[in-house]
């Protein structure tokens, strides 16, 4: 029970190490949503976190100026030597966020995203050509040989990373994602980002790093060297890890819902709506990054105090029956525009690469399903290995038969 000035409010608490939350977080968060619009997540080592569970409240919270992003939003214990590179654009608010976002968004205009579609398709086809050669006893790990390498190539092209170096970046992201060598992997990623910046300073190209260096040359105060390096490693991390997980999650969802797969095969024009629905139904991130309260205020009836941590639960808001009809059902024909889903975020921190990610997913899924009409899971859906995690839906392998 928590006290407010006017009432005693019963706020459910969720232990993030509870086996049910680790292994079935979407169900656990959905049950919490129907109990209360706000809960407290109990995270070992980080204390308690306010978590908004319902769609309308999450939408308001993600645009609330009383909540701010900071470098501490990473929810990681970061060594001092690399902490300066943790203040990413995603963890800024106000003027600094606007300044960097304005520079970065130029790489993701409709024109530049459309121009990269052919490159994405060629990269996809090359990976699909190689898939049969990776089969072991008739089974291929689609995560390792398709879902992970494709985003690495695409984001590497966007950032101007030499093709020969892109497998190194895939390794950095994998090590950071495992959590076991996070600090060392992040140091390597920062060092790699510095090398990319140095290369593009000498050899400009049609990429974001070259654009940012040009902006810096025009006015040094538009972006610092530290901000530039930070943007490189963080954009690669976000563009690779989250999209790889999303592609893998989408494949499992479609292969375990044969009626949806049949509908998509019958009408490939449904693909954009399918991607939107798949992001709603099984997003790679189940929680937003942490915001910190700048002042005392009431949130969903709970007394938030200055400095408190607050998140929105994407997994429960995306399945809120208050805004989505039959929300637990995957329906790729769901009418567009019924309600926003939060897989790409919302408000000032809406993912700047969302349009590119959507095109990449559309191309990847479309080409995969077209190339292998008999594609099937090699294990039951519930046995596809996943990292137990209350904050993300992160597969560790995706065994399929071609």
């Amino acid at each position: 029970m928590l006290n407010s000035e006017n009432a005693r409010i019963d706020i459910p608490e969720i232990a993030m190490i509870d086996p049910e939350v680790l292994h079935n977080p979407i169900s656990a968060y959905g049950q919490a949503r129907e109990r209360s619009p706000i809960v407290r997540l109990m995270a070992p080592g980080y204390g308690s976190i306010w978590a908004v569970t319902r769609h309308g409240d999450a939408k308001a919270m993600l645009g609330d100026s009383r909540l701010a992003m900071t470098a501490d939003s990473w929810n990681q214990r970061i060594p001092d030597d690399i902490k300066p590179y943790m203040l990413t654009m995603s963890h800024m608010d106000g003027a600094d966020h606007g300044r960097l976002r304005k520079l970065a968004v130029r790489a993701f205009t409709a024109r530049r995203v459309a121009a990269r579609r052919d490159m994405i398709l060629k990269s996809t086809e090359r990976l699909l050509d190689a898939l049969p050669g990776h089969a072991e006893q008739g089974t291929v790990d689609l995560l390792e040989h398709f879902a992970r390498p494709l985003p690495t190539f695409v984001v590497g092209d966007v950032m101007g990373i030499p093709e020969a170096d892109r497998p190194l970046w895939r390794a950095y992201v994998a090590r950071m994602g495992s959590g076991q060598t996070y600090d060392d992997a992040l140091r390597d990623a920062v060092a790699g980002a510095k090398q990319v910046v140095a290369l593009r300073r000498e050899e400009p190209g049609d990429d974001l790093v070259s654009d940012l260096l040009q902006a810096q040359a025009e006015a040094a105060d538009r972006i610092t060297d530290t901000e530039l390096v930070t943007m490189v490693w963080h954009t690669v991390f976000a563009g690779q890890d989250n999209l790889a997980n999303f592609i893998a999650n989408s494949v499992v969802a479609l292969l375990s819902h044969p009626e949806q797969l049949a509908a998509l095969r019958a009408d490939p024009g449904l693909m954009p709506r399918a991607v939107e629905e798949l992001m709603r139904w099984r997003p790679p991130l189940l929680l937003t990054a942490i915001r910190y309260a700048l002042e005392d205020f009431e949130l969903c009836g709970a007394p938030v105090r200055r400095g408190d941590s607050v998140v929105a639960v994407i997994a429960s808001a995306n399945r809120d029956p208050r805004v989505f009809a039959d929300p637990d059902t995957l329906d790729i024909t769901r009418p567009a525009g019924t309600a926003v889903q939060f897989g790409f975020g919302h408000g000032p921190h809406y993912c700047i690469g969302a349009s590119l990610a959507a095109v990449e997913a559309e191309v990847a899924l479309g080409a995969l399903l077209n190339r292998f009409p008999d594609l099937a899971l090699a294990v039951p859906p519930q046995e596809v290995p996943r990292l137990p995690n209350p904050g993300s839906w992160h597969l560790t392998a995706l065994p399929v038969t071609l």
Side-chain angles (χ1 to χ4, degrees), residues 47-386:
S48 62
I49 303 169
W50 295 109
V52 177
T53 61
R54 296 177 184 171
H55 188 278
D57 298 316
K59 186 176 181 179
M61 168 258 171
L62 292 172
D64 196 323
S65 61
R66 296 171 298 182
L67 295 165
M69 304 279 276
T70 75
D72 292 332
S73 296
W74 273 98
N75 200 24
Q76 293 275 357
R77 300 186 185 281
I78 304 299
D80 289 343
D81 63 311
I82 50 177
K83 200 162 188 176
Y85 300 100
M86 299 305 293
L87 187 57
T88 72
M89 183 177 66
S90 296
H91 299 90
M92 293 179 177
D93 280 296
D96 284 336
H97 174 261
R99 169 176 56 85
L100 293 179
R101 187 179 181 92
K102 185 177 181 180
L103 293 175
V105 76
R106 64 179 68 185
F108 303 100
T109 63
R111 178 185 63 80
R112 294 185 86 168
V113 168
R116 285 195 157 89
R117 185 180 280 269
D118 286 346
M119 177 273 293
I120 295 170
L121 180 58
K122 289 178 182 177
S123 301
T124 299
E125 295 287 358
R126 186 168 63 184
L127 291 169
L128 295 179
D129 289 344
L131 274 185
H134 295 298
E136 296 182 6
Q137 298 181 332
T139 298
V140 175
D141 184 350
L142 203 65
L143 179 65
E144 179 66 22
H145 300 296
F146 182 67
R148 281 178 178 159
L150 178 61
T152 305
F153 187 89
V154 175
V155 76
D157 185 75
V158 170
M159 300 306 292
I161 297 172
E163 188 169 349
D165 292 343
R166 293 172 195 173
L168 294 173
W169 283 90
R170 188 159 72 247
Y172 300 156
V173 174
R175 286 163 55 203
M176 282 190 277
S178 72
Q180 297 175 353
T181 58
Y182 187 91
D183 294 350
D184 288 340
L186 183 54
R187 287 189 180 94
D188 288 344
V190 169
K194 291 178 179 178
Q195 292 174 2
V196 173
V197 171
L199 174 64
R200 292 302 160 218
R201 188 168 269 128
E202 293 296 323
E203 302 175 16
D206 181 20
D207 55 75
L208 178 55
V209 175
S210 297
D211 288 349
L212 296 174
L213 285 167
Q214 178 62 35
Q216 186 186 60
E218 293 169 357
D221 60 350
R222 296 177 76 181
I223 184 168
T224 69
D225 285 344
T226 297
E227 289 170 339
L228 213 164
V229 169
T230 301
M231 191 176 291
V232 173
W233 82 258
H234 184 246
T235 301
V236 175
F237 181 88
Q240 177 179 312
D241 193 55
N242 292 338
L243 191 56
N245 290 333
F246 176 57
I247 292 172
N249 294 345
S250 297
V251 171
V252 175
L254 290 170
L255 295 183
S256 57
H257 291 79
E259 74 290 348
Q260 298 297 304
L261 179 60
L264 187 56
R265 287 190 187 280
D267 183 4
L270 287 173
M271 185 60 77
R273 285 166 67 183
V275 167
E276 184 75 5
E277 172 69 354
L278 287 161
M279 183 62 85
R280 181 196 72 82
W281 193 80
R282 185 54 54 81
L285 297 178
L286 306 181
L287 306 171
T288 65
I290 292 174
R291 272 82 169 161
Y292 293 95
L294 300 177
E295 60 186 73
D296 295 353
F297 67 100
E298 187 175 282
L299 179 64
C300 300
V304 174
R305 299 298 179 231
R306 181 177 179 180
D308 281 359
S309 306
V310 185
V311 299
V313 185
I314 297 171
S316 65
N318 272 7
R319 296 194 183 200
D320 190 342
R322 295 158 187 81
V323 295
F324 296 105
D326 197 11
D328 291 324
T329 296
L330 177 68
D331 180 7
I332 65 169
T333 65
R334 189 179 297 275
T338 53
V340 64
Q341 57 83 17
F342 298 127
F344 290 118
H346 184 70
H349 289 279
Y350 182 77
C351 175
I352 61 170
S355 58
L356 179 64
V359 168
E360 192 172 344
E362 291 169 19
V363 171
L365 293 172
L368 174 68
L369 297 177
N370 183 63
R371 177 72 69 91
F372 300 108
D374 296 323
L375 185 72
L377 294 175
V379 298
Q382 65 273 19
E383 295 181 15
V384 175
R386 170 184 166 267

